[in-house]
Amino acid sequence: MSVQSDLGDLKARLREARDISSSAAVLYWDQSTYMPTGGAAGRGRQLAVLSRLAHESATDPEIGRLLDRLAPYAESLPSEHDDAALIRVARHDYERVTRVPAEYSERAAKHASATYAAWVEARPKNDFATMRPMLETTLDLSREYAGFFPGYEHIADPLVDDADEGMTVARIRPVFDELRAGLTPLVARIAAADQVDDGPVRKHFPQAQQSTFAEKVIRSIGFDYERGRLDSTAHPFMTRFGHGDTRITTRTNEDFLAEQLFSTIHEAGHALYEQGTRAEDDGLPLGGGTSAGVHESQSRLWENIVGRSLGFWSHWYSTLQEEFPEQLGNVELRDFYAAVNRVEPSLIRTDADEVTYNLHVMIRFDLELQLLEGELAVADLPEAWHARYQSDLGVRAPDDRDGVLQDVHWYAGSIGGAFQCYTLGNIIGAQLYEAALRELPDIPEQIARGDTSSLLEWMSTNVYRVGRRLTPDQLIQRVCGGPLDAQPLLRRLTAKFEDLYAL
Amino acid sequence: MSVQSDLGDLKARLREARDISSSAAVLYWDQSTYMPTGGAAGRGRQLAVLSRLAHESATDPEIGRLLDRLAPYAESLPSEHDDAALIRVARHDYERVTRVPAEYSERAAKHASATYAAWVEARPKNDFATMRPMLETTLDLSREYAGFFPGYEHIADPLVDDADEGMTVARIRPVFDELRAGLTPLVARIAAADQVDDGPVRKHFPQAQQSTFAEKVIRSIGFDYERGRLDSTAHPFMTRFGHGDTRITTRTNEDFLAEQLFSTIHEAGHALYEQGTRAEDDGLPLGGGTSAGVHESQSRLWENIVGRSLGFWSHWYSTLQEEFPEQLGNVELRDFYAAVNRVEPSLIRTDADEVTYNLHVMIRFDLELQLLEGELAVADLPEAWHARYQSDLGVRAPDDRDGVLQDVHWYAGSIGGAFQCYTLGNIIGAQLYEAALRELPDIPEQIARGDTSSLLEWMSTNVYRVGRRLTPDQLIQRVCGGPLDAQPLLRRLTAKFEDLYAL
């Protein structure tokens, strides 16, 4: 067999595995958006079968043989050659996935689907009791998963590495500590300052008009509706079925303008990444975000660095006022800007301000580790949640609905590996933005004119089109000229909130 | 291996094959309802892979071995025993599907997906030229398919049998001839009578209000929104993903009230059949409509026999008037009833009245046969279409959009076997309704009170819950006490339209 024939065969097999996973993703999307409640049982079965088939396809021993045969060719190439990158990434994925038995994947998918359906009912009813045994099974499944990767230092490491290749608990903790050490005094200085009023965004804003405005914004920053769509779900998410079909979802609170608006920009940020990958990588492992953390860097960058900046609103605010003349006609730009950036320890992660947000994430990360370590029982999780919110943020949810039931992650997947990416994303996003500004110092001025195209193009070239050709560490090193670093995020937050709170 | 263990294994394998097909059905539904245009290429690949996997699963030689081992058990049972019926139907399906190579199925699915996407663009542009080469490939694929079933009398027979088990061109033609012989004088008598005015339904009826009313109607006749949903597509259809998830679609013409209303009732009729199957049959071949023709008997029964009856509107008309006071406030019930039953040779099958409808169908059936026989070239199809409409209905479409491009069938599947079911459905529906009336003569009176529950229950017991336990012929014989018979349809249409047109 020639190298080219082997490579063609490898690509076809990788594409097929991806096409099966993408089919499952369509079924998940439908389950979250449009499926009637009666469909849950059948959907669980369908997803379990597709999950097993995707697993069989991705673990086909022929892929292993092709990778073995292609290894000398890959070694003969410069490491940045596309074929070398493809073979390296495919080898990485194959080695990880072949350790997980198909039977496990099917069982876990079935459980995740049933748990998600139960959570959709249980959350509004504040019913943790129903979720407890299901979550115990999820924890068992997560431990079982870690067991497929013996030799880890911390039981969460295999789960973390799945989301953020190369990261470990031992590596994340010091970076998070550095961030916390920088954030704590900033939160205290803000608490001591004159508070800002978020009254302007806590009026009644009808859903349809919110959607009209949010759609204008995401169209303007580059979300391509020919290759994507926006729907409503209980918990917003982004999903990619292919280079031509990346979908995002959002949710609306008619009494709080910031929820739908920034959720939509956030998910659009994820989608810009996926829509910005190379068409020729479609269906191949190179064509997609390099890790959950780098992905989150883009959603957080578009949501916060762009979407919550004064410059952005100096362009968009008049359009928003036209949509809501009664609610915002008499609100000054600066007061609106303050309202969407109000810092206050609160209950809901996805509503949290930029400064306290990472405290929410670190609570979850720590609780996940304790659950996996066996230091915390699922039965004690609701109280542990409340206790940590009390100690870290000084607030306590009146119930579990806004406590331990608030995020979908544990109820639709595994425990461990799902949360660190949010804070990694904030860190990396700030690093990437600083790097972009060094090359293109006019970006803030362009944003203030409603033009984000230079920023998008810079991200496309340096991040999106790279896909998985570089690992997160390689990408950060290459693009930012240094390792993962919490300082750019701390610098940015300090400057922004010193100005906003007149510290 | 025990019989029970073999039977359990067989059921699990049949369910898995069905779950893969149902997953593909979700992807088709999404493609027709919500998929952005950019998704077409990826979706084609995904459907091709799922189609191949479904085929592999359904043709797994282990199913053949299990069926062989279970044959003595099936023979030892009364033929109506559930296990005997399951083994018989599974054997029938297995023998048909194992003749079709996986490679063919994948190729055909990919072609169907690309053709559908092209048709969605080409139809509004009246662009048959783009569709021609694709349709030629479809014809080649259909001929190739027939070739997998050597020994047929007519090349269309294998395609017809796929849709309507036991039917052949030789058997259908005389029944259609008998129907045509009865319909022709009726059409002529109506043409010579005073015409009725459909002006009342050709006003402006906003989509949202049309939907509100149609949803009330289908809820009332028994469509279960907990186990289904209604969306919009270019061409209405029904699809089942499982016992708990049967979806229908409709389309709206704001200038013609009858289109959305009766399309919705029509598809709801299909859905009542699927929602009325037994929960324990979910995922098994027994749980579903017995043939395309029997399925259509239900959509046509609910659309026409119920939905276009004077009794039905004597209950529903006041509600419709409340929805559209300006448009219908001054229209008498009898005039509205006449308007939705106006007989006039026209261009569009799905808008056609009950009397001429079967003429539309028979044109398509004949053209399909000519294409498959090689008597007609695809290039000559648009003109052949116009010629047949001119000779059979006395009308000629101004373009191909309302001519040969009007129906999705040839552009999303195969040529042959797709159309005879509509007229079979009208014939069988009339037979079943006569049988129901013999047992429950109060049904028309109940319908006039807005109560269709007795009719639904009778159909559930005699048709829906039977699923595929009986073949179409067995079902008709059992329930109606005789063979397929065009006379009940002719009797019904004659009585209804003699009254309506005062013949």
Side-chain angles (χ1 to χ4, degrees):
Chain A
M1 287 299 213
S2 75
V3 161
Q4 283 315 310
S5 148
D6 280 347
L7 197 60
D9 194 4
L10 178 68
K11 285 182 182 178
R13 286 169 188 278
L14 295 173
R15 279 211 166 90
E16 176 170 315
R18 183 61 55 105
D19 284 333
I20 303 171
S21 308
S22 297
S23 301
V26 176
L27 269 64
Y28 274 115
W29 173 87
D30 177 74
Q31 176 174 274
S32 308
T33 50
Y34 295 113
M35 189 183 79
T37 53
R43 186 55 48 88
R45 279 205 324 266
Q46 291 149 14
L47 283 169
V49 174
L50 288 190
S51 171
R52 184 175 60 68
L53 291 170
H55 191 271
E56 278 174 19
S57 183
T59 57
D60 187 333
E62 185 57 23
I63 292 179
R65 284 190 286 273
L66 286 165
L67 287 168
D68 288 344
R69 284 213 298 272
L70 286 163
Y73 168 63
E75 278 158 32
S76 76
L77 297 170
S79 73
E80 301 222 351
H81 189 285
D82 266 11
D83 291 349
L86 176 68
I87 293 164
R88 185 176 63 244
V89 171
R91 162 67 69 188
H92 171 268
D93 291 352
Y94 182 74
E95 286 181 356
R96 282 200 77 78
V97 77
T98 47
R99 301 226 191 169
V100 183
E103 178 280 322
Y104 171 87
S105 299
E106 188 163 350
R107 186 156 40 94
K110 202 174 275 182
H111 175 69
S113 178
T115 307
Y116 174 79
W119 173 77
V120 168
E121 307 257 316
R123 197 194 163 206
K125 289 191 278 187
N126 187 36
D127 177 13
F128 183 75
T130 296
M131 300 315 301
R132 204 196 73 173
M134 303 186 92
L135 208 52
E136 282 165 348
T137 303
T138 305
L139 180 58
D140 289 343
L141 286 165
S142 301
R143 285 211 187 95
E144 190 178 345
Y145 184 85
F148 300 134
F149 303 90
Y152 52 74
E153 193 178 332
H154 189 284
I155 188 172
D157 285 350
L159 295 147
V160 168
D161 187 83
D162 255 4
D164 295 292
E165 190 187 340
M167 301 289 172
T168 61
V169 172
R171 205 167 150 224
I172 290 170
R173 274 183 165 147
V175 181
F176 280 14
D177 286 350
E178 183 186 350
L179 181 65
R180 196 187 286 108
L183 285 177
T184 309
L186 180 59
V187 173
R189 288 166 70 204
I190 291 170
D194 285 347
Q195 295 307 294
V196 306
D197 177 19
D198 69 352
V201 291
R202 295 205 177 269
K203 299 173 180 174
H204 186 75
F205 298 91
Q207 171 157 12
Q209 285 155 269
Q210 286 197 45
S211 298
T212 301
F213 181 75
E215 285 175 24
K216 267 184 208 163
V217 169
I218 65 172
R219 239 181 242 282
S220 160
I221 64 174
F223 181 78
D224 180 356
Y225 273 88
E226 297 284 306
R227 297 193 294 126
R229 48 177 293 124
L230 169 63
D231 294 275
S232 293
T233 49
H235 191 90
F237 64 89
M238 182 280 301
T239 183
R240 171 196 167 119
F241 308 145
H243 185 257
D245 195 352
T246 295
R247 304 192 188 180
I248 59 177
T249 71
T250 191
R251 66 176 167 204
T252 307
N253 180 345
E254 291 200 322
D255 299 318
F256 183 47
L257 181 64
E259 179 151 338
Q260 197 222 59
L261 177 58
F262 292 107
S263 287
T264 308
I265 301 176
H266 178 98
E267 300 305 334
H270 283 301
L272 291 178
Y273 196 169
E274 293 297 334
Q275 292 188 333
T277 56
R278 302 186 199 178
E280 65 269 29
D281 287 343
D282 193 26
L284 294 177
L286 291 184
T290 189
S291 84
V294 179
H295 230 300
E296 200 66 17
S297 81
Q298 294 310 301
S299 55
R300 304 292 292 175
L301 180 142
W302 289 100
E303 176 191 353
N304 288 332
I305 304 181
V306 177
R308 291 188 206 258
S309 70
L310 186 57
F312 183 79
W313 288 107
S314 71
H315 170 78
W316 280 103
Y317 189 53
S318 58
T319 310
L320 184 68
Q321 284 180 308
E322 280 163 30
E323 200 65 62
F324 299 109
E326 279 180 37
Q327 298 92 327
L328 297 175
N330 295 320
V331 176
E332 295 295 321
L333 165 64
R334 181 85 195 182
D335 293 331
F336 175 80
Y337 168 66
V340 298
N341 282 292
R342 181 176 186 239
V343 175
E344 189 185 35
S346 66
L347 296 171
I348 307 292
R349 174 182 63 87
T350 53
D351 293 342
D353 58 84
E354 282 187 83
V355 183
T356 61
Y357 181 85
N358 295 303
L359 301 174
H360 291 260
V361 173
M362 290 188 239
I363 289 173
R364 288 156 178 75
F365 183 65
D366 290 347
L367 291 174
E368 283 193 327
L369 299 187
Q370 289 168 33
L371 286 166
L372 286 163
E373 288 159 359
E375 297 296 313
L376 176 64
V378 169
D380 299 327
L381 181 60
E383 204 36 59
W385 181 286
H386 291 312
R388 279 296 302 266
Y389 263 77
Q390 193 75 61
S391 68
D392 290 23
L393 286 150
V395 295
R396 186 188 166 95
D399 51 28
D400 295 328
R401 190 180 50 202
D402 288 343
V404 72
L405 288 171
Q406 82 176 249
D407 287 314
V408 69
H409 306 62
W410 292 338
Y411 305 100
S414 63
I415 291 173
F419 283 106
Q420 77 284 339
C421 66
Y422 296 111
T423 288
L424 289 176
N426 284 322
I427 292 169
I428 298 166
Q431 287 188 265
L432 289 170
Y433 191 67
E434 273 199 0
L437 288 190
R438 279 196 294 272
E439 280 183 48
L440 302 167
D442 289 346
I443 284 175
E445 206 173 285
Q446 291 164 358
I447 292 175
R449 290 199 309 268
D451 177 9
T452 52
S453 59
S454 295
L455 178 61
L456 179 63
E457 199 181 321
W458 190 92
M459 287 294 163
S460 295
T461 304
N462 289 283
V463 182
Y464 306 167
R465 292 180 59 78
V466 173
R468 290 179 66 199
R469 284 169 179 77
L470 301 176
T471 66
D473 286 323
Q474 289 171 334
L475 182 77
I476 297 165
Q477 187 67 45
R478 156 89 57 90
V479 179
C480 309
L484 186 74
D485 180 3
Q487 289 308 317
L489 175 60
L490 285 168
R491 273 197 289 275
R492 202 178 69 71
L493 293 178
T494 303
K496 174 174 177 177
F497 290 92
E498 280 185 344
D499 167 63
L500 208 152
Y501 278 85
L503 302 179
Chain B
M1 287 300 214
S2 75
V3 162
Q4 284 314 311
S5 147
D6 280 347
L7 197 60
D9 194 4
L10 177 68
K11 285 182 182 178
R13 286 170 189 276
L14 294 173
R15 280 212 166 89
E16 176 170 313
R18 183 62 55 104
D19 284 333
I20 302 170
S21 307
S22 297
S23 301
V26 176
L27 269 63
Y28 274 115
W29 173 86
D30 177 75
Q31 175 174 275
S32 309
T33 50
Y34 295 112
M35 189 183 81
T37 53
R43 186 54 48 88
R45 278 205 324 265
Q46 291 149 11
L47 282 169
V49 174
L50 289 190
S51 172
R52 184 174 62 67
L53 291 170
H55 190 271
E56 277 173 20
S57 184
T59 57
D60 188 333
E62 186 57 24
I63 293 180
R65 285 190 286 272
L66 287 164
L67 287 168
D68 288 343
R69 286 213 298 271
L70 286 163
Y73 168 64
E75 277 158 31
S76 76
L77 297 170
S79 73
E80 301 223 349
H81 189 286
D82 266 11
D83 290 350
L86 177 68
I87 293 165
R88 186 177 61 243
V89 171
R91 162 67 70 188
H92 171 268
D93 291 351
Y94 182 74
E95 286 182 355
R96 281 201 77 77
V97 77
T98 46
R99 300 225 191 171
V100 183
E103 177 280 324
Y104 171 87
S105 299
E106 189 163 349
R107 186 156 39 94
K110 201 174 276 183
H111 175 69
S113 179
T115 307
Y116 175 79
W119 173 76
V120 168
E121 307 257 316
R123 196 194 164 206
K125 290 191 277 188
N126 187 36
D127 177 13
F128 182 76
T130 296
M131 299 316 301
R132 204 195 73 173
M134 304 186 92
L135 207 53
E136 282 166 349
T137 303
T138 306
L139 181 58
D140 289 342
L141 286 164
S142 301
R143 285 211 185 95
E144 189 178 347
Y145 184 86
F148 300 134
F149 302 90
Y152 52 73
E153 194 179 329
H154 189 284
I155 188 170
D157 285 349
L159 295 146
V160 168
D161 187 83
D162 256 3
D164 294 292
E165 190 189 340
M167 301 288 172
T168 61
V169 171
R171 204 164 149 227
I172 289 169
R173 274 184 166 147
V175 181
F176 280 14
D177 285 349
E178 184 186 348
L179 181 65
R180 196 186 286 108
L183 284 177
T184 309
L186 180 59
V187 173
R189 288 166 70 203
I190 292 170
D194 284 347
Q195 295 306 293
V196 305
D197 178 19
D198 70 352
V201 293
R202 294 206 177 270
K203 299 172 180 174
H204 186 74
F205 298 91
Q207 171 157 15
Q209 286 154 269
Q210 286 197 43
S211 298
T212 302
F213 181 75
E215 284 174 23
K216 269 185 207 161
V217 168
I218 65 172
R219 240 181 241 282
S220 161
I221 64 173
F223 181 78
D224 180 356
Y225 273 88
E226 297 285 305
R227 298 193 293 125
R229 50 176 293 123
L230 169 64
D231 293 277
S232 294
T233 49
H235 190 90
F237 65 89
M238 183 280 302
T239 182
R240 171 196 167 120
F241 309 145
H243 185 258
D245 195 351
T246 296
R247 304 193 188 179
I248 59 177
T249 71
T250 191
R251 66 176 168 203
T252 307
N253 179 345
E254 292 200 321
D255 300 318
F256 182 47
L257 181 64
E259 177 149 339
Q260 197 221 58
L261 176 59
F262 292 106
S263 287
T264 309
I265 302 175
H266 177 99
E267 300 305 333
H270 282 301
L272 291 177
Y273 196 170
E274 293 296 333
Q275 292 188 332
T277 55
R278 302 185 198 177
E280 65 268 29
D281 288 343
D282 193 25
L284 295 176
L286 291 184
T290 189
S291 84
V294 179
H295 230 300
E296 200 66 17
S297 81
Q298 294 310 301
S299 56
R300 304 292 293 175
L301 180 142
W302 289 100
E303 176 192 354
N304 288 332
I305 304 182
V306 177
R308 290 188 207 258
S309 70
L310 185 57
F312 183 80
W313 289 107
S314 71
H315 170 77
W316 279 103
Y317 190 53
S318 58
T319 309
L320 184 67
Q321 284 179 308
E322 279 163 32
E323 200 65 62
F324 299 109
E326 280 180 37
Q327 298 92 329
L328 297 175
N330 294 321
V331 176
E332 295 295 321
L333 166 62
R334 181 85 198 183
D335 294 331
F336 175 80
Y337 167 66
V340 298
N341 281 292
R342 180 175 186 239
V343 175
E344 190 186 34
S346 66
L347 296 172
I348 307 292
R349 175 182 63 86
T350 54
D351 293 342
D353 58 84
E354 282 187 83
V355 182
T356 59
Y357 182 85
N358 295 303
L359 301 174
H360 290 260
V361 173
M362 291 187 240
I363 289 173
R364 287 155 178 77
F365 183 64
D366 291 346
L367 291 174
E368 284 193 327
L369 299 187
Q370 289 170 33
L371 286 166
L372 286 164
E373 288 159 357
E375 297 295 312
L376 176 64
V378 169
D380 299 327
L381 182 59
E383 204 36 61
W385 181 286
H386 291 313
R388 278 295 302 266
Y389 263 77
Q390 192 76 59
S391 68
D392 290 21
L393 287 150
V395 295
R396 185 189 167 93
D399 51 29
D400 294 328
R401 190 180 52 204
D402 288 343
V404 72
L405 288 170
Q406 83 177 249
D407 287 314
V408 70
H409 306 62
W410 293 337
Y411 305 100
S414 63
I415 290 173
F419 283 105
Q420 77 283 339
C421 66
Y422 296 110
T423 288
L424 289 175
N426 283 322
I427 293 168
I428 299 166
Q431 287 188 266
L432 290 169
Y433 190 67
E434 272 199 0
L437 288 190
R438 279 195 295 271
E439 280 184 48
L440 302 167
D442 289 346
I443 283 176
E445 208 174 283
Q446 290 164 358
I447 293 174
R449 291 199 308 270
D451 177 7
T452 51
S453 60
S454 295
L455 178 61
L456 180 63
E457 200 182 318
W458 190 91
M459 287 294 162
S460 296
T461 305
N462 289 284
V463 182
Y464 306 167
R465 292 178 59 77
V466 173
R468 289 180 65 199
R469 284 168 178 80
L470 301 176
T471 66
D473 285 324
Q474 289 170 334
L475 182 78
I476 296 165
Q477 187 67 46
R478 158 88 57 90
V479 179
C480 308
L484 185 75
D485 180 3
Q487 289 308 317
L489 175 59
L490 284 168
R491 272 196 291 275
R492 202 179 69 71
L493 292 178
T494 304
K496 175 174 176 176
F497 289 93
E498 280 184 347
D499 168 62
L500 209 152
Y501 277 87
L503 302 180

